[in-house]
C-alpha cells in the first residue's frame, strides 16, 4: 500500500456511489484519512467498514450539500474530527437531461443546487485561514494546511465533465453547471495557487455509475442507454486514478485540468 498521503485528511462529496466511492477508496489506499459525505448513510457505513478492513481510516458524514448549513457542517465535522483538511474532492453531482422546451424547472433547480451551489458552499467552508478571528478555533483548513506539514500543499479537485467543455442538444442545464464549474475552478486556482492550494478540474467522459439512472425512463431510453450499450465506458476507478494522480504531484506541480475519456468515445 502506498503511503504518500499519510498524515493528510481528504473530504470527498458524493462518496456513497460511483466515482466518489472509488476516489475515497483510492485516497485511503494512499494513506489519507477520508471523510465520506453524502445523504445515503447506509452506503457510507458500508464503505467505511470496507476502508477500515483494508487498514485505512474513514469518517461518515451524512449531509445534503444543497443545504448550505449542512455543507458547512460537513466540513467543520471533518476538521474537528481529524484536526485538519488537506484535500477536498467536490464530486457530488446530478445529471438530468432533456429539452429546454417545456422542461421541468424543478429538475434544473435540483441540478444547480448540487452541481453548483453545493460545490461553492463546501469549497468556501474548506478554505478558511481566519488569522483575523483569533477567538475562533485555529483548526487547519486548506489554506492553513498548505502552510504546515506534512506536504505543505493542499488540493481541491472539482469533478466536472466533458460536458464542461462541449455542449450538446438536450444537455443544456447540465452543460451550464459544468461549464460554470470549469470557470469557477480556474478563477479560484489563480486566487490561491501562490498560497500552495492547488485547484483543478477533472473532466470525465462516460463512466459506469448510477448517474443516468435518475432520469425519466423515456430520457434514459433515448439519451443514455443507447450510449452505454454501444460504448466501452470508463470504470469509476479510472477517475479515482486521475484524482490520485492530481493530488500526489510534487508541491511545485499543479494539474489544472485533467480530461479522461473512454477510448471508445468520440
Ligand atoms: P453517482 O450518481 O453514482 O454519484 C453521485 C453522488 O452524488 C452520490 O454519491 C450521491 O449521494 C451524491 N449526491 C447527490 N446529491 C447530493 C446531495 N444533495 N448532497 C450530497 N451528496 C449528493 O454518479 P457519478 O459517480 O457518475 O457522479 C459523480 C460526479 O461525476 C458528478 O459530478 C458527475 O456529474 C460527474 N461525471 C460523471 C460522469 C459519468 O459518466 N458517470 C461523466 C462526467 C462527469 P447520495 O445520493 O447518497 O446523497
Amino acid at each position: 500500500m502506498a503511503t504518500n498521503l499519510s498524515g493528510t485528511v481528504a473530504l470527498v462529496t458524493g462518496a456513497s456511489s460511483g466515482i466518489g466511492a472509488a476516489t475515497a477508496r483510492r485516497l485511503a489506499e494512499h494513506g489519507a484519512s477520508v471523510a465520506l459525505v453524502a445523504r445515503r448513510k447506509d452506503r457510507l457505513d458500508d464503505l467505511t467498514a470496507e476502508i477500515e478492513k483494508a487498514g485505512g481510516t474513514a469518517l461518515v458524514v451524512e449531509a445534503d450539500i444543497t443545504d448550505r448549513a449542512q455543507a458547512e457542517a460537513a466540513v467543520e465535522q471533518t476538521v474537528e474530527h481529524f484536526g485538519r483538511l488537506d484535500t477536498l474532492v467536490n464530486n457530488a453531482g446530478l445529471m438530468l437531461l432533456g429539452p429546454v422546451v417545456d422542461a421541468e424547472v424543478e429538475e434544473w433547480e435540483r441540478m444547480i443546487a448540487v452541481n453548483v451551489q453545493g460545490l461553492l458552499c463546501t469549497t468556501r467552508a474548506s478554505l478558511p485561514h481566519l488569522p483575523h478571528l483569533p477567538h475562533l478555533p485555529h483548526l487547519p483548513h486548506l489554506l492553513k494546511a498548505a502552510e504546515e506539514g506534512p506536504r505543505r500543499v493542499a488540493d481541491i479537485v472539482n469533478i466536472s465533465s466533458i460536458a464542461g467543455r462541449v455542449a450538446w442538444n438536450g444537455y443544456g442545464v447540465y452543460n451550464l453547471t459544468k461549464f460554470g464549474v470549469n470557470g469557477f475552478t480556474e478563477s479560484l486556482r489563480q486566487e490561491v495557487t501562490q498560497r500552495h492550494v492547488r485547484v483543478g478540474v477533472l473532466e470525465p467522459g462516460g463512466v459506469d455509475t448510477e448517474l443516468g439512472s435518475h432520469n425519466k425512463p423515456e430520457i434514459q431510453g433515448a439519451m443514455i442507454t443507447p450510449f452505454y450499450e454501444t460504448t466501452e465506458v470508463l470504470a469509476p476507478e479510472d477517475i479515482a486514478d486521475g484524482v490520485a494522480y492530481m493530488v500526489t504531484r510534487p508541491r511545485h506541480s499543479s494539474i489544472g485540468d485533467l480530461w479522461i475519456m473512454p477510448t471508445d468515445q468520440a
Side-chain angles (χ1 to χ4, degrees), residues 9-13 75 85-90 119 122-124 126 142 155-158:
V9 175
L11 184 158
V12 181
T13 69
V75 173
L85 180 64
D86 303 88
T87 305
L88 169 66
V89 183
N90 280 312
L119 179 145
T122 52
T123 301
R124 179 176 172 278
S126 296
L142 295 173
D155 288 282
I156 299 175
V157 178
N158 291 332

Side-chain angles (χ1 to χ4, degrees), residues 171-223:
Y171 280 69
V173 178
Y174 186 66
N175 280 136
L176 173 86
T177 64
K178 295 301 187 178
F179 272 72
V181 165
N182 285 13
F184 172 72
T185 304
E186 173 55 15
S187 171
L188 180 61
R189 186 194 69 78
Q190 292 177 22
E191 180 180 331
V192 295
T193 190
Q194 287 168 322
R195 298 168 78 180
H196 290 102
V197 177
R198 301 181 291 205
V199 187
V201 279
L202 196 162
E203 303 169 313
V207 188
D208 184 15
T209 71
E210 300 172 12
L211 190 71
S213 68
H214 308 294
N215 286 275
K216 297 188 195 85
E218 61 272 25
I219 295 289
Q220 285 188 49
M223 299 184 67

Side-chain angles (χ1 to χ4, degrees), residues 84-86 126-131 138-149 152 154 195 197:
R84 58 184 299 115
L85 180 64
D86 303 88
S126 296
L127 285 165
H129 191 222
L130 305 177
H138 232 40
L139 294 169
H141 292 52
L142 295 173
L143 282 163
K144 185 91 174 129
E147 288 175 8
E148 300 171 350
R152 292 176 48 247
R195 298 168 78 180
V197 177

Side-chain angles (χ1 to χ4, degrees), residues 2-264:
T3 57
N4 45 2
L5 296 178
S6 285
T8 73
V9 175
L11 184 158
V12 181
T13 69
S16 59
S17 63
I19 293 169
T23 298
R25 272 187 211 102
R26 188 58 43 92
L27 297 182
E29 284 166 12
H30 278 275
S33 298
V34 284
L36 312 175
V37 179
R39 295 166 303 177
R40 288 173 292 178
K41 183 173 180 304
D42 54 335
R43 298 276 200 106
L44 300 181
D45 286 337
D46 290 348
L47 182 57
T48 297
E50 187 191 324
I51 287 171
E52 289 180 346
K53 194 172 170 204
T57 304
L59 173 71
V60 172
V61 183
E62 183 182 359
D64 179 343
I65 62 160
T66 65
D67 178 308
R68 179 172 153 191
Q70 290 188 44
E72 291 174 351
V75 173
E76 287 315 304
Q77 206 179 317
T78 302
V79 180
E80 275 167 23
H81 182 86
F82 287 124
R84 58 184 299 115
L85 180 64
D86 303 88
T87 305
L88 169 66
V89 183
N90 280 312
N91 162 78
L94 189 59
M95 180 187 75
L96 301 172
L97 305 181
V100 172
V101 175
D102 295 333
E104 287 181 26
V105 173
E106 187 269 342
E107 289 197 343
W108 294 355
E109 290 170 345
R110 281 168 57 208
M111 255 190 301
I112 291 167
V114 183
N115 300 4
V116 177
Q117 190 70 28
L119 179 145
L120 294 178
C121 288
T122 52
T123 301
R124 179 176 172 278
S126 296
L127 285 165
H129 191 222
L130 305 177
H132 57 297
L133 298 172
H135 57 286
L136 292 178
H138 232 40
L139 294 169
H141 292 52
L142 295 173
L143 282 163
K144 185 91 174 129
E147 288 175 8
E148 300 171 350
R151 298 184 309 150
R152 292 176 48 247
V153 70
D155 288 282
I156 299 175
V157 178
N158 291 332
I159 305 299
S160 179
S161 170
I162 181 181
R165 309 167 65 98
V166 183
W168 298 292
N169 185 355
Y171 280 69
V173 178
Y174 186 66
N175 280 136
L176 173 86
T177 64
K178 295 301 187 178
F179 272 72
V181 165
N182 285 13
F184 172 72
T185 304
E186 173 55 15
S187 171
L188 180 61
R189 186 194 69 78
Q190 292 177 22
E191 180 180 331
V192 295
T193 190
Q194 287 168 322
R195 298 168 78 180
H196 290 102
V197 177
R198 301 181 291 205
V199 187
V201 279
L202 196 162
E203 303 169 313
V207 188
D208 184 15
T209 71
E210 300 172 12
L211 190 71
S213 68
H214 308 294
N215 286 275
K216 297 188 195 85
E218 61 272 25
I219 295 289
Q220 285 188 49
M223 299 184 67
I224 295 168
T225 310
F227 169 76
Y228 279 87
E229 282 179 353
T230 57
T231 311
E232 186 185 351
V233 294
L234 297 162
E237 291 72 21
D238 295 318
I239 308 306
D241 284 346
V243 175
Y245 177 78
M246 291 172 78
V247 305
T248 56
R249 294 308 84 211
R251 183 172 182 257
H252 64 269
S253 170
S254 169
I255 309 295
D257 188 347
L258 186 59
W259 180 26
I260 305 180
M261 294 292 287
T263 309
D264 221 5

